[in-house]
Amino acid sequence: MPSVGRLSADYRLNRIKRSMKKLLIVILSILPLALVAQEENSGEKVTVVGALQHNGLFALEDEEIGASKPEYPYLSNSYLDLGIRSKYVSAGLRGELMLAPMPGYETNFKGGGLSNIWVKGEWKWGNITIGDVYGQFGSGFILRLYEERSLGVDNALRGGKLELTPYKGIRFQALGGKQRRYWEMYNDKAWGFNYKQDAVVGANLELQIDEWIPKMQETGANLMIGGSWVSKYQDMDTVLASSYVEGGYLYNQMYNLPKWVGAWDARANFQMNGWNALVEYAYKANDPCMQNHYNYDHGEAVMASLSYSRSGMSVIVQAKRSQNMAFRSDRQEIGIAGNINHLPAFANQHTYALAALYPYATQMETGEWAIQGEIRYTWKRKTKMGGKYGTTLKLNASHVRGIGETWFSSSKEAYYTDVNLELNKKLTKQWTLNAMLMYQTYNKQVVEGHGDLIRSGIAVADVKWAINSNVQMRAELQYLFTKQDEGQWLHALYELSLFKQLMLSFSDTYNIGGTEASKNLNYYQVNATYQKGAHRLMLGFGRTRAGYNCSGGVCRYVPAQKGVSLTYNFTW
C-alpha cells in the first residue's frame, strides 16, 4: 500500500501536469491567431516575440564543501514568454515550470503554470494594461514591482495599470491589484501563482516644470517634481505572535493590526550643464509585521544625490537614511516574495568573484545611514597619463552604519565599508588591463545574523588579449586577505573565445589559510558556451561555494552545490 507521502507527491505531480496542459492549450490557441495576423499585415504592424529560458543542474553530493544529496537528481527552472505587439494593442503571457527548483530558491516556488498574462492598449496620450503589471514610483522607496529571476523575485500585481500624459509635462500613473507570491498547488481551481486575498493600490504624478517655462528650455535646465501614494489592504485584525523581552524570555502576545497601511513619497530632480541633483523623501504609516517584529513605529527614508559629468570625468555623492521601511502585502511573510517596495543599497555592485564574496544587503527593518561617492576620470589619448590609447581611473567608496538615537546621528556599529580603486588601461591594440585594489569591512552579524566583523583587502588583475577578431583570451587573478571568517582566498580564471560563437572557461577559487573546515578547499568550474543566432547553450561542471547572490541590495542565499549545469536560451 503506498504511503500518504507518496500519494501526496503523486497528487502534486498530477496537479502540475494538469496546470501545464492548460497552459499549453492557451499557448497553442494564441500562436496561430498571432501568426495569421502577422501574415496579413506583412510583418509590419503585428509581430510575435518570445523567449525560452531553461536553467538546470544535475546535482551531486559533496561532503567536503557541504553539498547535500538533493531530493531530486535534476533541479531546474524554466520560463517561456510569448508576446504579440502592434501599434495600439499588445498582449503577452509567461509560463513557468519548477518541479524541483534550483538551489537557493524557496521551496514554495515549487510548481508550474501560467504565472503572467496581460493585455495593453495604447493611444496618443496614454495606455492601459489589464492583467499582471510592473512599475516603479521614484526610486522605489514605496513601490517597485519587478522581476529578477536570479533572485527569485517576481512581485507583480494582477490587476491593472493606467498611464496618462494629458498635457505636456504631466505624467500620471495609477495601478492596483493582488500581489503574486509563490505557487498554489493544492487548489484545483488555481493553475498559477497563489494570489493572496489582499490588495495594493497606488498613484504617481510627475510634473516636468521646464516644459512650461521657455527660459529654462533655452538654458537647458530640467526640473521634475514628483509625488506618489501607495496603500495596502490586508483583512487581518489581530495576530498572536511570540515576542522576546529582556533576559530572552519568550511569550505570546496579541497584536491589534491596521487593515489599511499607507505610504507617500515626494521628490525633486534638477539637471543643468552637467549637474544633476536629486532629493527624495518617503513616509510609511505604522505597519507592524513579522519582519519588523511587530514594531508600531512609522517608517521613513530620505535620499540626497549630487552628481556632475562632462567629457572624460564624472563625480557623484549620495547619502541615504532609512528606518523601518519593510513594506509587504502579507505582514506575516519574511521570504523573497511579497515585497511592495525596494531600497537600493549604497554599495558598489562588484562582478569580480572575491570582491563579491561579502555582498551587502539593505537593512530594511532596523534602518541604516549610508553614504557613497565615486570619481571617474579618463586621460585622453596621446597625453602623459593617457598614453597611446587613454587611461581611466575610478575611485569608489561607500560606508553604512546603523541609525542613532537622534535623527541625524548614527550608531557606533559599522555595517559595511568598501573603498576600491580601479584602473582600466589599453596597453596595445591587442592587450587591455583592468586592475583593482579594494578594502572592505563586512559586519556578518548584522547582514547574515551570525559571525563577526570581517576586514579584508582584495587585489584583482584582469588581462584581455584580442589576437584577432575571431580569437580572444582573458585571464583573471584575484587575492583576498583577511584574518577573520574563512581566511585568505585565491581565484584564477581563464577564458577563450573562438569565432564569436564558442567560449571555454575554467576557474578555481582556492582557500589558502582559513579555518580547519575551509582550509585548502577549492571551488573549480569548467564551462563551455555556444551561441548561434538566437540560440545560446551553456554546459558546465564544478563546485559552487555557499553564499549570497545579491542585486541592488536584495539577496538570496545559495547553498553549496556540485554538479553538471545546463543553461539554454532562445529568443525570437
Side-chain angles (χ1 to χ4, degrees):
M1 181 177 179
S3 66
V4 175
R6 177 63 180 172
L7 287 173
S8 178
D10 290 342
Y11 171 77
R12 292 197 299 268
L13 184 58
N14 291 332
R15 181 70 197 93
I16 293 170
K17 289 180 178 178
R18 291 197 300 270
S19 298
M20 295 311 295
K21 184 177 180 180
K22 293 178 182 178
L23 173 61
L24 186 61
I25 292 172
V26 173
I27 293 172
L28 294 178
S29 300
I30 291 179
L31 271 179
L33 296 176
L35 293 174
V36 170
Q38 185 180 28
E39 184 177 354
E40 290 178 351
N41 290 274
S42 302
E44 296 179 359
K45 294 184 179 181
V46 178
T47 58
V48 178
V49 295
L52 174 64
Q53 178 182 343
H54 176 80
N55 302 323
L57 175 70
F58 291 95
L60 302 173
E61 185 178 10
D62 191 331
E63 294 183 359
E64 187 179 20
I65 64 171
S68 59
K69 184 178 180 179
E71 181 181 0
Y72 302 95
Y74 186 66
L75 311 175
S76 66
N77 295 358
S78 300
Y79 310 86
L80 176 63
D81 291 274
L82 294 174
I84 303 172
R85 297 175 182 174
S86 67
K87 184 176 181 180
Y88 296 109
V89 179
S90 302
L93 57 83
R94 179 166 66 246
E96 301 183 7
L97 185 63
M98 303 179 194
L99 297 180
M102 292 284 286
Y105 286 83
E106 298 174 31
T107 56
N108 289 332
F109 275 111
K110 182 178 179 180
L114 186 64
S115 63
N116 188 292
I117 184 167
W118 55 271
V119 177
K120 182 178 182 179
E122 300 185 63
W123 60 95
K124 184 177 181 180
W125 46 272
N127 64 78
I128 185 170
T129 303
I130 303 298
D132 294 281
V133 297
Y134 298 97
Q136 178 171 320
F137 294 168
S139 299
F141 287 172
I142 64 172
L143 181 86
R144 188 188 183 196
L145 308 173
Y146 69 110
E147 181 197 14
E148 179 57 69
R149 292 178 185 175
S150 65
L151 297 176
V153 174
D154 192 347
N155 61 346
L157 295 182
R158 175 156 291 184
K161 180 171 70 170
L162 174 68
E163 296 182 309
L164 300 175
T165 53
Y167 186 72
K168 67 176 182 178
I170 299 177
R171 182 170 179 265
F172 174 77
Q173 298 179 71
L175 52 77
K178 299 181 184 298
Q179 191 171 41
R180 178 184 305 163
R181 54 182 298 274
Y182 304 125
W183 289 100
E184 173 58 73
M185 299 182 60
Y186 304 104
N187 184 351
D188 287 335
K189 296 181 181 180
W191 51 300
F193 264 92
N194 173 18
Y195 289 84
K196 296 290 292 182
Q197 298 302 308
D198 312 317
V200 177
V201 294
N204 180 61
L205 177 64
E206 292 184 349
L207 306 177
Q208 200 68 39
I209 306 300
D210 54 278
E211 294 193 21
W212 306 334
I213 304 176
K215 190 66 174 179
M216 293 185 69
Q217 298 176 27
E218 293 174 6
T219 59
N222 297 302
L223 175 61
M224 185 279 296
I225 297 176
S228 310
W229 164 83
V230 174
S231 186
K232 68 164 187 175
Y233 172 81
Q234 185 172 12
D235 190 12
M236 181 183 291
D237 293 313
T238 61
V239 65
L240 183 65
S242 299
S243 300
Y244 284 93
V245 296
E246 189 174 354
Y249 177 71
L250 179 66
Y251 71 101
N252 292 326
Q253 181 171 324
M254 185 68 71
Y255 292 91
N256 294 318
L257 305 172
K259 288 188 176 183
W260 285 97
V261 177
W264 59 269
D265 177 284
R267 57 197 176 274
N269 184 206
F270 180 76
Q271 301 176 23
M272 183 177 180
N273 297 330
W275 289 94
N276 189 330
L278 170 67
V279 178
E280 186 166 358
Y281 176 81
Y283 178 94
K284 177 177 69 74
N286 62 313
D287 181 24
C289 62
M290 185 177 292
Q291 186 174 353
N292 67 12
H293 308 292
Y294 296 97
N295 186 337
Y296 282 80
D297 293 338
H298 71 270
E300 60 181 356
V302 61
M303 179 180 72
S305 175
L306 179 64
S307 65
Y308 174 76
S309 64
R310 61 175 176 80
S311 178
M313 187 188 79
S314 64
V315 181
I316 184 170
V317 179
Q318 298 175 302
K320 178 189 69 175
R321 183 190 189 276
S322 61
Q323 180 179 9
N324 196 27
M325 281 298 292
F327 197 24
R328 294 176 176 268
S329 56
D330 183 354
R331 57 170 43 94
Q332 292 186 291
E333 188 63 63
I334 57 174
I336 287 289
N339 287 297
I340 299 173
N341 66 336
H342 169 80
L343 268 64
F346 276 24
N348 201 6
Q349 300 295 300
H350 293 286
T351 56
Y352 289 115
L354 296 186
L357 199 65
Y358 299 111
Y360 182 72
T362 305
Q363 301 304 297
M364 297 288 286
E365 59 275 7
T366 59
E368 62 184 30
W369 259 112
I371 58 173
Q372 184 178 31
E374 181 178 293
I375 301 174
R376 184 192 299 264
Y377 191 84
T378 298
W379 285 273
K380 295 181 180 180
R381 300 173 56 186
K382 299 180 180 180
T383 61
K384 186 175 181 180
M385 293 295 293
K388 187 176 181 179
Y389 298 98
T391 302
T392 299
L393 192 66
K394 183 186 73 172
L395 175 64
N396 180 280
S398 57
H399 183 69
V400 186
R401 306 183 76 89
I403 58 176
E405 295 182 359
T406 61
W407 199 92
F408 285 101
S409 65
S410 62
S411 69
K412 295 181 180 180
E413 186 176 29
Y415 291 175
Y416 183 80
T417 301
D418 177 358
V419 180
N420 61 86
L421 181 65
E422 189 170 349
L423 170 72
N424 182 267
K425 174 72 175 176
K426 187 172 183 179
L427 304 174
T428 68
K429 288 184 178 181
Q430 295 178 314
W431 290 87
T432 303
L433 169 68
N434 198 74
M436 184 179 73
L437 293 174
M438 174 177 167
Y439 171 76
Q440 182 188 66
T441 65
Y442 177 83
N443 195 323
K444 196 172 184 179
Q445 177 64 43
V446 170
V447 181
E448 300 183 22
H450 62 91
D452 301 312
L453 184 68
I454 302 171
R455 297 181 177 88
S456 61
I458 302 166
V460 176
D462 182 348
V463 179
K464 183 178 180 180
W465 181 22
I467 300 174
N468 54 50
S469 60
N470 291 320
V471 181
Q472 296 182 355
M473 291 187 287
R474 189 174 74 90
E476 289 180 13
L477 184 61
Q478 305 175 35
Y479 172 63
L480 182 148
F481 173 81
T482 180
K483 295 182 179 180
Q484 294 84 39
D485 201 39
E486 295 178 330
Q488 304 173 67
W489 291 90
L490 277 176
H491 176 84
L493 177 142
Y494 173 77
E495 288 181 351
L496 174 63
S497 177
L498 300 172
F499 308 107
K500 301 179 183 179
Q501 292 181 330
L502 178 64
M503 177 177 286
L504 305 175
S505 67
F506 171 79
S507 67
D508 193 9
T509 303
Y510 186 75
N511 186 277
I512 57 173
T515 63
E516 289 300 320
S518 63
K519 191 174 182 180
N520 298 328
L521 282 180
N522 69 313
Y523 296 87
Y524 48 83
Q525 285 281 347
V526 180
N527 294 293
T529 304
Y530 179 75
Q531 184 163 347
K532 179 68 174 179
H535 300 269
R536 182 178 182 273
L537 176 67
M538 186 181 79
L539 288 173
F541 173 76
R543 291 169 158 181
T544 300
R545 177 183 176 273
Y548 285 87
N549 176 24
C550 297
S551 177
V554 179
C555 296
R556 174 176 67 90
Y557 178 75
V558 181
Q561 54 192 274
K562 177 184 178 180
V564 178
S565 59
L566 167 67
T567 301
Y568 174 70
N569 297 88
F570 173 52
T571 57
W572 68 90

